[in-house]
Amino acid sequence: MDDNNIRKELTIKPVTLEYLEQFNDLLAYVFQVTAKEVEESGYEEGELERAKRPVLEKSDVIGWFHDDQLISQLAIYPCTVNLHGKQVKMGGLTGVGTYPEYAGHGLMHDLIRIALQHMRAHKQWISYLYPYSIPFYRKKGWEIMSDHLTFDVKDTQLPKPQPTPGHVERLEIDDPDVISTYQTYALHNHGAMIRNQLNWDEYWRWENEEERIAGVYYDAQDQPQGYVLYWIANEVFHIKEMVYNTQEARVGLWNFVSAHFSMVEHVRGNIYKNEPLHFLLSDGDIKQTIHPYFMARIVDVAEFLKEYPFTEPGKPVHFNVTDPLAEWNNKTFGLWWNEKGEVEVTNRPVGEAVDVDIQTLTTMLMSYRRPSYLARIERLHASKAALKNLESIIPMEEPYFSDYF
């Protein structure tokens, strides 16, 4: 059957709660989630579907239907993230999938286009997603914005304890001090999710949280300044995430990890920022791996630029942007600063020109890669004067993002 005939039989509409079972069935099929994996994550029969219900209620899900059968879908997960110290709305793209017999007909292309229009209408000027295929999402305008580092430290390489004025307490993973410590961290780390309860639920979705423990570091004033989420199995100390708001807390948390020297042979964990652990250890000859993690996409260039917290007023510059899906971004965006030092956005070509696609503009403004580097690999084209200007106005801090949805 050709593409036109197939499309005549399909309709596109919101996926409401009555389709919850079909929503979950499509996800399970596409991502090959088995009943055993669900059980190992700590869910009893039917519990995962109930747990996913709030996500479906809070998210905007769009799907293609054949009669009343859901055959292709995506969800827009409403979130808030830290953009260089400023809280902004973010549309998280998730639950993306199409049954294979309907693949190759451009159904997902249409869904993503509608999703971008929806995000724009809801003032979600930036979108994140976890890519099942980086090339696929690059074609749709997303680009890598964060990394996931893993490390393996032998027991003999653990740092020697250093004196700190505080102490560590073992607590439940949902203790209020864990939540508040992360909140402080997220508000001071570019890219991070500002988690609400639904975000925390998703953070633990595919893990058996009953096996996890939180080690919280308290300073001399008994204020929580950091935590490590961990579990111990088969003589391995597994670190899901280590967060610290002071260097004292970092040292105190590693003192706590090292105190398990006699119990474990390895410490294995995750870092969600380009901050390799080896440089912080006296014996830095450890095993580390780095993988691209989340991707991001600017939804509306003009509105994103108006919200963007540039480090300082710069010289006028304009971006000639190309975008494969969002036609409202296929134009020129001029930037200049008024007498109050506030950025103004115009559709006129003011100042030096920067030719760039939406993917490269996103990764540059998210500070995952610097303008000069992107020019060197010919991902953007600009004069030396324009690059110098961009380097001075774009903040340096690389993104941190440890969530999953």
Side-chain angles (χ1 to χ4, degrees):
M1 187 180 294
D2 64 34
D3 185 70
N4 287 332
N5 287 333
I6 286 179
R7 282 177 170 269
K8 287 178 182 178
E9 298 180 3
L10 305 180
T11 56
I12 192 167
K13 63 182 181 181
V15 180
T16 53
L17 280 174
E18 64 185 292
Y19 298 105
L20 177 61
E21 185 175 350
Q22 291 191 39
F23 172 81
N24 286 319
D25 287 346
L26 179 51
L27 282 183
Y29 187 90
V30 171
F31 295 104
Q32 291 297 288
V33 180
T34 66
K36 181 180 179 182
E37 288 173 318
V38 172
E39 183 180 346
E40 288 175 349
S41 296
Y43 291 101
E44 298 179 358
E45 185 176 354
E47 188 179 3
L48 179 60
E49 286 78 3
R50 292 192 296 275
K52 272 290 184 184
R53 183 185 179 97
V55 177
L56 196 58
E57 288 176 335
K58 297 289 185 182
S59 300
D60 293 299
V61 186
I62 310 162
W64 281 101
F65 287 80
H66 188 183
D67 295 328
D68 205 39
Q69 178 63 42
L70 179 62
I71 55 126
S72 181
Q73 70 183 23
L74 60 73
I76 304 165
Y77 187 46
C79 305
T80 301
V81 296
N82 177 341
L83 180 67
H84 290 300
K86 186 173 187 177
Q87 294 186 46
V88 299
K89 291 182 179 180
M90 182 272 285
L93 203 65
T94 184
V96 177
T98 301
Y99 281 117
E101 61 268 32
Y102 292 96
H105 298 288
L107 303 184
M108 189 52 63
H109 182 87
D110 290 347
L111 286 179
I112 292 176
R113 187 189 298 275
I114 292 171
L116 289 170
Q117 294 168 352
H118 181 281
M119 292 180 207
R120 190 184 187 207
H122 287 76
K123 299 183 178 181
Q124 296 165 330
W125 311 133
I126 187 79
S127 173
Y128 287 9
L129 61 80
Y130 179 78
Y132 68 83
S133 167
I134 289 176
F136 175 84
Y137 284 110
R138 274 182 167 157
K139 290 179 182 178
K140 307 302 181 187
W142 275 261
E143 186 52 273
I144 299 166
M145 56 135 305
S146 72
D147 293 326
H148 175 202
L149 283 74
T150 59
F151 60 84
D152 187 329
V153 179
K154 299 174 185 176
D155 55 353
T156 54
Q157 296 174 308
L158 287 169
K160 302 300 184 216
Q162 301 178 43
T164 60
H167 66 283
V168 172
E169 292 185 19
R170 288 183 296 114
L171 302 170
E172 298 292 330
I173 57 173
D174 59 353
D175 188 272
D177 283 350
V178 173
I179 307 300
S180 66
T181 301
Y182 174 80
Q183 180 73 359
T184 300
Y185 185 83
L187 291 173
H188 290 88
N189 280 269
H190 162 58
M193 178 88 84
I194 309 299
R195 292 179 193 150
N196 57 28
Q197 187 55 55
L198 184 61
N199 301 144
W200 275 106
D201 291 342
E202 281 298 287
Y203 181 76
W204 293 108
R205 178 73 63 201
W206 295 105
E207 297 190 48
N208 192 338
E209 55 206 279
E210 293 181 0
E211 298 177 356
R212 306 297 187 259
I213 306 170
V216 179
Y217 180 83
Y218 293 87
D219 63 18
Q221 287 72 46
D222 212 32
Q223 295 300 307
Q225 297 292 352
Y227 65 71
V228 56
L229 302 175
Y230 72 97
W231 75 101
I232 299 173
N234 301 318
E235 298 185 310
V236 176
F237 190 107
H238 297 272
I239 296 177
K240 176 175 172 62
E241 183 177 30
M242 182 182 288
V243 160
Y244 44 86
N245 293 313
T246 65
Q247 290 304 304
E248 175 193 316
R250 176 182 66 82
V251 173
L253 290 170
W254 275 106
N255 284 348
F256 175 72
V257 175
S258 296
H260 293 78
F261 175 85
S262 63
M263 298 171 55
V264 301
E265 293 184 354
H266 292 265
V267 174
R268 294 172 182 157
N270 304 294
I271 298 174
Y272 293 93
K273 197 171 188 177
N274 192 8
E275 186 181 72
L277 179 63
H278 69 269
F279 191 73
L280 300 173
L281 300 177
S282 56
D283 183 354
D285 187 18
I286 65 173
K287 181 180 179 181
Q288 295 181 103
T289 61
I290 182 169
H291 301 279
Y293 191 45
F294 260 64
M295 300 180 80
R297 186 202 210 283
I298 296 172
V299 173
D300 187 304
V301 172
E303 297 299 333
F304 186 80
L305 291 174
K306 292 175 186 176
E307 292 277 341
Y308 192 81
F310 292 98
T311 54
E312 60 182 49
K315 297 178 181 178
V317 63
H318 66 274
F319 299 105
N320 298 316
V321 181
T322 56
D323 189 318
L325 280 179
E327 66 277 2
W328 55 87
N329 290 332
N330 271 313
K331 59 179 69 172
T332 294
F333 300 90
L335 287 182
W336 58 280
W337 282 260
N338 60 30
E339 62 277 3
K340 296 180 181 179
E342 301 166 336
V343 69
E344 301 279 356
V345 179
T346 176
N347 57 9
R348 294 183 293 106
V350 297
E352 295 278 350
V354 178
D355 298 328
V356 66
D357 58 35
I358 193 68
Q359 301 94 316
T360 305
L361 183 64
T362 299
T363 200
M364 179 175 69
L365 293 180
M366 288 299 294
S367 297
Y368 180 74
R369 291 293 180 261
R370 299 302 297 173
S372 297
Y373 171 78
L374 294 167
R376 191 162 63 250
I377 63 172
E378 300 183 344
R379 285 285 299 269
L380 65 79
H381 300 278
S383 67
K384 289 183 178 179
L387 290 175
K388 184 178 180 180
N389 187 30
L390 292 177
E391 289 285 357
S392 69
I393 64 177
I394 297 174
M396 292 286 291
E397 185 183 12
E398 294 181 15
Y400 176 96
F401 193 77
S402 61
D403 286 69
Y404 177 83
F405 51 79

